[in-house]
Amino acid sequence: MGDLNLDFSGITVSVTGLPDWVASRFAREWVAFVRQVPIGLPFLSMAFDERSFSRPTGTFQPKAMVAEFDPNGVWFRMPEGEIRINPGGRASGRLAALDDDRAYFTVQNLLRAALAYRLPDRGGALVHAAGLVLDGRAFALVGSEGAGKSTWANLGATGGALVLSDDLLLIDGLGGQVTALGSPFRSTFRGPLAPPGRWPLTAWLFPTHGRPPALAPVSSLLGRARLVANLPFIAESLQSDPRVATCVDSLLAAVPGAELRFALDGDFLSLLTDWD
């Protein structure tokens, strides 16, 4: 069985018990975020054992994941595998006996879910957002599928911005400093992603489409609703897990929000560069 030691720009993850070929694929595709030595005290520790699920039938459906929250942690379950995470960041899981892409993407999905559950402990979050870095400052475009995140990321890259992600953005809030992190998480963007690193988050941006490019204020109530709606895997625990509400409020208090109108060009970049 294969092991992985991952470092997402300071968010460390240990994964053990993977099929060797799955671990090798992660090591190859996430090479910039793989450590060659074990991590002493990882932020998240995931252990998969040899007890496997029954082999699922049908096509792979990553959105079929369900979450079961309780005071002692959470279960994330998919037809291809499951994992249980406790509040201390230790997780144990099982995988179906698969020898195709589904095994790799199942582990990826469970890892992201586990991170999403764990990050509020340090004032951070995994957010459905694209991220760009301009002049050393990060901007997050928050939105669900179809909001234009990948288009925005591609336009930013063409205009010289560094792309953090076009789908899931890793945010850290440790010590009250909200930073956007380099990570390997992407959707359809095929250009180079930012290397490991941390950039101060300057704004939460909520997209609309049209011309000319413009920024408009967003009420705190609307900004909160939009951010909560784009917390994958954990949004439904808002009422039962006080960490989530506390985290959302602190992220919005630390970083201003605005509505960004943009079209199929990079004209919006000057608005972000001139952000004061």
Side-chain angles (χ1 to χ4, degrees), residues 1-273:
M1 304 302 282
D3 299 341
L4 276 174
N5 299 293
L6 302 167
D7 187 342
F8 301 132
S9 304
I11 306 294
T12 54
V13 180
S14 167
V15 189
T16 61
L18 294 176
D20 286 332
W21 73 268
V22 173
S24 296
R25 181 168 175 181
F26 275 109
R28 182 175 66 253
E29 297 193 9
W30 289 8
V31 60
F33 301 92
V34 175
R35 281 193 189 179
Q36 299 305 316
V37 295
I39 299 165
L41 292 172
F43 178 65
L44 173 65
S45 176
M46 302 174 68
F48 292 95
D49 64 30
E50 295 180 354
R51 296 174 301 136
S52 67
F53 271 11
S54 299
R55 187 178 179 89
T57 58
T59 59
F60 181 60
Q61 304 254 349
K63 293 183 180 179
M65 178 183 285
V66 295
E68 299 175 18
F69 297 92
D70 62 56
N72 297 313
V74 60
W75 279 103
F76 291 109
R77 290 191 169 98
M78 302 172 61
E80 296 81 7
E82 67 179 10
I83 198 154
R84 168 75 175 177
I85 307 105
N86 70 25
R90 297 189 65 83
S92 59
R94 300 187 296 160
L95 294 172
L98 298 168
D99 57 5
D100 56 23
D101 283 351
R102 288 177 296 171
Y104 173 74
F105 289 112
T106 295
V107 173
Q108 203 177 122
N109 215 31
L110 292 173
L111 187 154
R112 291 169 173 173
L115 270 178
Y117 172 76
R118 189 83 173 90
L119 280 166
D121 283 329
R122 55 189 292 149
L126 188 66
V127 183
H128 265 310
L132 295 178
V133 176
L134 288 160
D135 296 333
R137 301 187 300 173
F139 296 85
L141 186 80
V142 181
S144 59
E145 184 176 355
K149 298 189 299 298
S150 292
T151 298
W152 188 76
N154 277 289
L155 292 170
T158 300
L162 191 62
V163 177
L164 293 170
S165 176
D166 68 332
D167 183 42
L168 290 172
L169 190 59
L170 199 55
I171 301 294
D172 196 8
L174 193 64
Q177 302 298 312
V178 180
T179 52
L181 310 186
S183 81
F185 303 150
R186 71 170 81 210
S187 179
T188 61
F189 179 75
R190 290 297 171 258
L193 291 177
R198 292 169 164 260
W199 292 267
L201 186 62
T202 299
W204 301 109
L205 303 173
F206 305 103
T208 62
H209 305 291
R211 299 178 189 273
L215 289 165
V218 172
S219 70
S220 58
L221 187 62
L222 182 58
R224 189 177 194 273
R226 290 190 178 182
L227 187 57
V228 168
N230 286 286
L231 294 180
F233 309 112
I234 64 168
E236 64 190 82
S237 70
L238 179 67
Q239 303 302 322
S240 60
D241 187 345
R243 300 177 310 141
V244 178
T246 298
C247 178
V248 168
D249 290 341
S250 64
L251 291 174
L252 290 170
V255 178
E259 184 178 83
L260 172 66
R261 183 173 67 206
F262 69 97
L264 296 179
D265 54 47
D267 289 351
F268 65 87
L269 289 171
S270 62
L271 295 176
L272 305 185
T273 301

